[in-house]
Each structure stands twice: as structure tokens, then as C-alpha cells.
Amino acid sequence: RRLVPELMDLLASKVYRLIIGTHDGDLHKELLALLVRKHGWILIYEIPFMPRRLEPCVKRHVRGNYRAEGIRERFDWRALLREGCFHKTPRGPVANWDGEIIVDN
């Protein structure tokens, strides 16, 4: 968490776009505050970090056990939508619990 603030001058001089998978709700908020509010980077796109309570739903219906036999819940998109474990995006629902930030310098 200390690395990014220390590298802001270097990032500003050499980087046009950052695409960041945040993997943590607090880190997601901190990076948005640092990049967009404090340093004026332009927010292109954001998928907020999904609450931990929805993680089991995504795991059950999308993630892991791809080759396991007899798992009827795997890739059950209707159940995933019914249980509400997705983000609404301009391109439709996205099942992802990690946050994503895309910013331009």
C-alpha cells in the first residue's frame, strides 16, 4: 500500500493507462482516492469490489471445479442472476468479486 504513493511521480511521467484488479475493498477505495481525487487521473471504468457475502455465490456458480463431475450448479447463470451476485455494467451483468479500476493519466 505504500508502493503506489511513492511511485506517483514516475507513473505520471511514464504511464498513460492503468488497469488494476484491486482484490480488496479497502484497497479499492484507497486507490480511487489516490489516483482520481488526489492526483487527477481520469476514471475510465470501475467495477466496485463485491461484498464478501456474495463471494460464495460466485464461487458456486462460476469459479473453480471446472472439470469436476456432477456439479450441477457450475455455470448456472440463471441462479447467479436470481441470487444477485453480479455487477450491473453498461455491457450487462458481470459476475466478479474482485474490483477493477481503469484510469488514464
Side-chain angles (χ1 to χ4, degrees):
R1 290 198 164 143
R2 293 183 308 210
L3 181 63
V4 175
E6 292 175 7
L7 293 175
M8 283 309 300
D9 289 339
L10 180 66
L11 290 173
S13 68
K14 303 223 178 230
V15 175
Y16 171 74
R17 176 170 284 171
L18 290 173
I19 301 172
I20 305 166
T22 55
H23 305 283
D24 178 273
D26 292 335
L27 179 62
H28 189 96
K29 292 174 192 170
E30 289 173 24
L31 284 171
L32 272 179
L34 176 70
L35 294 166
V36 177
R37 290 185 275 287
K38 185 173 180 182
H39 289 280
W41 287 55
I42 301 163
L43 181 63
I44 301 300
Y45 191 73
E46 174 196 13
I47 295 178
F49 187 81
M50 186 172 278
R52 283 285 175 214
R53 64 182 172 76
L54 296 175
E55 185 176 314
C57 174
V58 175
K59 282 184 178 178
R60 184 172 54 254
H61 297 303
V62 181
R63 305 280 296 244
N65 295 320
Y66 297 114
R67 294 186 179 96
E69 295 292 325
I71 298 178
R72 295 168 49 191
E73 295 175 324
R74 197 60 59 217
F75 305 114
D76 188 349
W77 188 247
R78 287 188 188 122
L80 191 131
L81 292 174
R82 186 173 52 251
E83 294 179 36
C85 46
F86 62 90
H87 295 287
K88 293 179 182 176
T89 74
R91 296 185 180 204
V94 172
N96 181 26
W97 70 69
D98 293 334
E100 180 178 288
I101 298 171
I102 302 174
V103 289
D104 282 356
N105 186 357

